[in-house]
Amino acid sequence: MSLHGQLTLNNLPAAFVNRMRKQLSDVSDFLEALQSVSPVSVRLNPAKLPFPETPFFSGRPMSEVDWCRHAYYLEQRPVFTLDPCLHAGGYYVQEASSMFLDVILQQVLPQHPVRVLDLCAAPGGKSTLLSSALPAGSLLVANEVIRTRASVLKENLIKWGADNVVVTQNDPAHFSCLRNCFDLVLVDAPCSGEGMFRKDEKSVSEWSERNLQLCSERQQRILKDVWHTLKPGGYLIYSTCTYNPGENEEILQWLLERYEARSVDVSHFLGDSLFHTPHGYQFYPHKIKGEGFFIGVVQKLEEEEDAPRAKKEKKVSVRLPEELRNLLPHEKEFSVYNAENVLGVIPAPHAEFISLLDKHLNVLYKGCELAEINGRKFKMQPALALYRYLDKTQVVCKDCDTESALRYLKKEDISTEAPAGSWVLITHNSIGLGWGKSLGSRLNNYYPKEWRIRMSTE
Ligand code: SAM
């Protein structure tokens, strides 16, 4: 890296540069782009922040990312941690090339509800995109094998505020019991990370030809483990952030030779900016304003088999106390669960399938957790404050400016005029952040300590 943290040619592995010289006719443009600064992009949460009107963004020049709805480039990288709106799930900071998933979803998704598996989902860029893009009534299972990364995924999805999501922490092999369950499976595979070279020093230092081979073997293993979870006619979207053909089109070629499937051509308007490989699209940083990325789609053509059904179990019906029921939209159909005294809701049409997941997988989170009950008392859960469907007219709200919102997010004291004992929803620009409980003149801060901002705001 240069003194300014930018990549220089001398830092790049020689074997990588040699391969790229063979792979690209305009390699000098590519190498020059690798030495420039990465673009910064965000994708807004249409349920919370349909337009970039947050004061945090105002005055900052923004231009749209052409291939994704609600997505913008920023001219400079702000200190995102100091924007309460980020913590409220108002937007997600996401690399622009990977947002091309939105173009694909618009072409392969039907209008009716679907079930989707995002197998390698942490930290949640594509899961949050999926959760917003899926047809109403759909369910997303977002999985991550590494425990610490799975909790970040859970946090990001809770902040996104949807209830159409289940978060699991499992190895791909654990999905063996779910045959023909998903209409769409996204495998955003762990890879050699060549496309992240200018953003992430570690991906440069860890690069080796041996590692390319290991990555490709692991990608095949992952695909073998989950192929059968896809319904016949369903789509598998495969993506990586590398330029290595051995992890991209060769993996899809291997898949097409092994299983009954066809490669799906996705139409787009990007012309020569996108490199069309036999089975997918390769993004290069000298062609497009984004990082290196590969994405391809295949459709499963195999015969229909019976999908597993959750054994009909005697339903223990849990009723929501009136006080909680009043906070939710009445037209939505929920199933209520009680997990160790925490009451939560899941979308009723998926209740049976979610019980199958509960049985076979390590489910970390589902639907939306509302409140912990202790006798007749409630302890409001952080997810309810961030839930897009919370009826804010039914709770006491305190809207905070940036300074006091940041104090709240650091778990410091903030003042209140609410009557002692009442739960107060802390909002910023009217978007929920979390709960406090009034002690008369100040609030007991219920923001989760593992989410708190540790950065100095001075
Ligand atoms: N989809 C994510 C997003 O958009 O934010 C990024 C996923 S990242 C490219 C790949 C993920 O695969 C990582 O979170 C990594 O922990 C996970 N992973 C690593 N080894 C794995 C394995 N053997 N099987 C499944 N996932 C694995």
Side-chain angles (χ1 to χ4, degrees):
M1 296 281 153
S2 74
L3 278 180
H4 310 290
Q6 257 165 266
L7 191 64
T8 67
L9 269 191
N10 296 339
N11 303 118
L12 291 173
F16 167 73
V17 176
N18 288 340
R19 197 193 81 223
M20 294 311 292
R21 283 192 202 285
K22 290 187 201 132
Q23 212 166 307
L24 289 175
S25 56
D26 48 359
V27 72
S28 51
D29 293 347
F30 167 73
L31 294 172
E32 199 179 310
L34 281 195
Q35 296 168 84
S36 64
V37 179
S38 295
V40 182
S41 43
V42 296
R43 187 171 37 75
L44 308 185
N45 184 341
K48 296 195 180 192
L49 194 72
F51 306 105
E53 58 202 5
T54 158
F56 187 70
F57 289 140
S58 69
R60 293 174 200 271
M62 293 172 84
S63 53
E64 287 185 27
V65 177
D66 292 335
W67 52 87
C68 182
R69 288 166 289 179
H70 317 290
Y72 298 85
Y73 293 106
L74 307 184
E75 222 147 76
Q76 279 173 343
R77 174 172 283 272
V79 185
F80 284 114
T81 307
L82 300 186
D83 180 17
C85 193
L86 176 74
H87 303 272
Y91 61 94
Y92 193 95
V93 184
Q94 188 176 26
E95 192 287 299
S97 304
S98 60
M99 297 180 192
F100 189 73
L101 175 62
D102 196 42
V103 172
I104 292 182
L105 293 177
Q106 287 182 62
Q107 292 180 48
V108 302
L109 284 175
Q111 309 260 308
H112 57 79
V114 285
R115 263 193 232 138
V116 175
L117 169 64
D118 182 0
L119 184 72
C120 312
K126 296 184 190 65
S127 282
T128 50
L129 195 159
L130 276 161
S131 149
S132 300
L134 295 181
S138 298
L139 184 77
L140 170 66
V141 180
N143 176 70
E144 167 60 41
V145 63
I146 297 176
R147 190 191 302 251
T148 47
R149 292 179 62 84
S151 44
V152 176
L153 173 68
K154 172 178 158 184
E155 173 182 338
N156 283 333
L157 283 167
I158 288 178
K159 288 181 174 172
W160 204 247
D163 59 14
N164 60 350
V165 183
V166 175
V167 181
T168 59
Q169 189 246 316
N170 284 90
D171 188 277
H174 298 164
F175 286 79
S176 59
C177 50
L178 299 177
R179 297 193 81 78
N180 303 336
C181 278
F182 296 103
D183 302 277
L184 191 140
V185 173
L186 168 63
V187 176
D188 187 29
C191 70
S192 56
E194 294 174 351
M196 290 292 138
F197 274 3
R198 68 177 171 178
K199 273 186 97 174
D200 176 16
E201 258 177 76
K202 223 167 107 206
S203 57
V204 182
S205 61
E206 285 176 357
W207 189 94
S208 70
E209 287 180 290
R210 169 87 187 116
N211 194 35
L212 300 189
Q213 183 56 33
L214 290 176
C215 284
S216 118
E217 285 163 15
R218 180 167 58 184
Q219 287 147 358
Q220 292 178 4
R221 240 183 0 253
I222 291 174
L223 288 170
K224 244 192 308 191
D225 280 339
V226 293
W227 177 254
H228 65 278
T229 66
L230 197 57
K231 290 180 188 170
Y235 294 96
L236 176 104
I237 303 180
Y238 176 78
S239 60
T240 69
C241 57
T242 188
Y243 313 105
N244 173 24
E247 297 174 69
N248 295 339
E249 55 265 24
E250 287 170 27
I251 293 288
L252 288 182
Q253 184 57 40
W254 166 87
L255 187 89
L256 292 165
E257 283 163 14
R258 191 180 173 98
Y259 302 106
E260 265 185 71
R262 71 173 186 104
S263 170
V264 177
D265 222 354
V266 176
S267 66
H268 62 84
F269 48 90
L270 292 166
D272 289 344
S273 312
L274 274 196
F275 192 79
H276 197 168
T277 72
H279 306 302
Y281 293 102
Q282 184 76 62
F283 288 65
Y284 289 106
H286 61 303
K287 296 279 201 185
I288 217 114
K289 201 169 165 188
E291 303 307 310
F293 182 63
F294 171 85
I295 194 159
V297 189
V298 299
Q299 186 177 28
K300 185 172 184 176
L301 300 173
E302 286 159 20
E303 291 290 296
E304 191 83 47
E305 281 176 43
D306 281 347
R309 295 185 67 79
K311 240 211 250 140
K312 282 254 184 253
E313 277 164 36
K314 227 166 122 210
K315 237 172 138 190
V316 188
S317 76
V318 183
R319 277 180 65 83
L320 269 190
E322 201 58 23
E323 296 94 314
L324 292 177
R325 180 68 224 170
N326 286 341
L327 307 181
L328 305 180
H330 287 277
E331 72 281 6
K332 264 188 83 106
E333 210 199 325
F334 297 112
S335 283
V336 181
Y337 64 83
N338 179 339
E340 293 172 24
N341 288 336
V342 173
L343 291 181
V345 285
I346 48 174
H350 297 287
E352 205 176 295
F353 181 64
I354 292 174
S355 79
L356 186 75
L357 299 177
D358 266 327
K359 206 166 202 169
H360 296 286
L361 297 175
N362 181 22
V363 172
L364 298 185
Y365 190 77
K366 54 188 174 189
C368 179
E369 287 182 359
L370 307 177
E372 189 180 323
I373 42 165
N374 183 358
R376 291 187 57 79
K377 287 196 177 148
F378 301 120
K379 182 177 164 198
M380 296 305 198
Q381 292 299 288
L384 180 59
L386 293 148
Y387 188 32
R388 58 184 286 192
Y389 296 114
L390 168 67
D391 183 351
K392 294 195 193 76
T393 63
Q394 302 295 318
V395 290
V396 183
C397 291
K398 178 181 169 79
D399 200 52
C400 289
D401 61 11
T402 302
E403 197 191 326
S404 44
L406 287 173
R407 275 211 309 279
Y408 173 76
L409 293 169
K410 289 167 85 181
K411 263 187 102 56
E412 292 173 2
D413 280 352
I414 55 171
S415 62
T416 182
E417 275 123 44
S422 50
W423 284 99
V424 180
L425 177 71
I426 308 298
T427 61
H428 176 66
N429 290 327
S430 307
I431 313 181
L433 282 172
W435 296 104
K437 198 170 183 187
S438 174
L439 297 170
S441 60
R442 66 176 185 88
L443 281 178
N444 213 351
N445 190 326
Y446 277 80
Y447 198 64
K449 71 172 182 308
E450 60 282 12
W451 293 0
R452 78 182 188 279
I453 298 181
R454 292 182 178 86
M455 181 188 240
S456 161
T457 48
E458 300 300 300

